Amino acid sequence: MTKTPMDGTPPRNGPDARDWFAPPAEQPSDITYSGALPPPVPTAPPSIPIPGTLKPPTDLRVWPPLEPEEPEGEDRSTQPFPALRTNRQPPPGALAPAPSSAEPPAEPPRMPPRVPPAAAPVEVPAEVSPEEPAAPKRRTSLLVGGTVLSVVLAVGAPTAFGYQAYRYGRPADIVQTVQPGQAGVWQHVSWRATVEKIKDPTGKPERSDRQWLKILITRTALDAEGAIRHGAPAEVKFTDRAGRTWQVEKVNDETPPDVKDNKIGTPYRLEMMGVVPPPVADEVEVVLRPSSYRDVPDQSAEDFVKAAFSSTERDDHVLRFRR
């Protein structure tokens, strides 16, 4: 059985029998063009003609390095970048010839100095300007003043703050002078003080560089308020006219510890002793600072704390007894 192609036409048998994929008979089997070639396309002439003969390049290749197996006769010159076609002109300075080193460059013409007219004479010399020295001096003065002000603020501000804090906790004393033989009254209490020389209470031999003194202080309550202020003085000491001070020690205190035992108008004695140099033994004075303590009968602890925090009284009052 003979098979036919897809269109149902049987294959050809004869001298013009061809393959299914062969070209038709009217088309030659060799399709190679054998005619004349078209003329070549003319190329544009170079924009800048180069007269003469070009010399071979003389520069050598420096990178990449020469490989050991490359032959010696091979051209190793580097190829420059091709010139770009452009209409830009070089700057005038590039076309001007370079000045010779032997000839110095020409100096620009100097303008003649301006001469002031005769009608307006210049009193200040031309080389000295009256305004130039003032600016540096003013600047230096400002710098020095700013430095001094910074130092004063840095040192003085903490000192002033510390002094104010000290004065708030320890205000300046209010001195009340008491004449010899008189009594000083403060906060409903009358105070008296006398001084006398004594021998060394320890029984040791007397020394020429010290003198023992005894202070006799009496305290008297003037009313009920004075009776509850029966606390011992906050401070007692000797002082001379030069401001030097000497400490004293308490020997005996007859003041009753209970406020109920304190009687109004009854003097209670307080004895103290101290040592001073012999030259000032006859002139030292007693400085006494009364206490602000108040012993209120039947007062609770809570009321005592409230009164202590709400009180504005300070231990800044001092009695100075003259001799």
Side-chain angles (χ1 to χ4, degrees), residues 82-170:
L84 301 178
R85 296 181 180 182
T86 177
N87 295 329
R88 296 178 59 185
Q89 298 295 331
L95 301 178
S100 177
S101 60
E103 299 179 0
E107 298 182 358
R110 298 183 178 180
M111 298 298 295
R114 298 182 59 183
V115 180
V122 180
E123 298 181 359
V124 181
E127 64 274 8
V128 179
S129 177
E131 298 181 357
E132 292 180 358
K137 290 183 179 180
R138 188 181 301 107
R139 189 180 302 108
T140 303
S141 301
L142 292 176
L143 292 176
V144 173
T147 304
V148 173
L149 181 60
S150 301
V151 172
V152 170
L153 292 178
V155 177
T159 303
F161 177 78
Y163 179 77
Q164 292 179 359
Y166 170 77
R167 281 305 180 191
Y168 179 81
R170 181 73 180 272

Side-chain angles (χ1 to χ4, degrees), residues 68-94:
E69 60 273 6
E70 293 185 9
E72 292 291 338
E74 186 179 3
D75 185 13
R76 304 171 184 172
S77 62
T78 59
Q79 299 296 329
F81 289 101
L84 301 178
R85 296 181 180 182
T86 177
N87 295 329
R88 296 178 59 185
Q89 298 295 331

Side-chain angles (χ1 to χ4, degrees), residues 211-236:
Q211 177 61 56
W212 283 85
L213 298 178
K214 179 180 179 180
I215 307 174
L216 180 59
I217 302 173
T218 59
R219 166 196 169 276
T220 305
L222 302 179
D223 52 18
E225 177 65 22
I228 65 177
R229 292 177 176 267
H230 63 90
E235 181 183 20
V236 179

Side-chain angles (χ1 to χ4, degrees), residues 182-212:
Q182 302 294 325
V185 179
W186 175 248
Q187 293 291 27
H188 308 270
V189 178
S190 175
W191 298 89
R192 291 178 181 268
T194 58
V195 181
E196 61 178 345
K197 296 180 181 179
I198 61 173
K199 294 182 179 182
D200 190 347
T202 61
K204 296 180 180 179
E206 299 291 337
R207 296 177 53 177
S208 59
D209 59 342
R210 60 178 57 186
Q211 177 61 56
W212 283 85

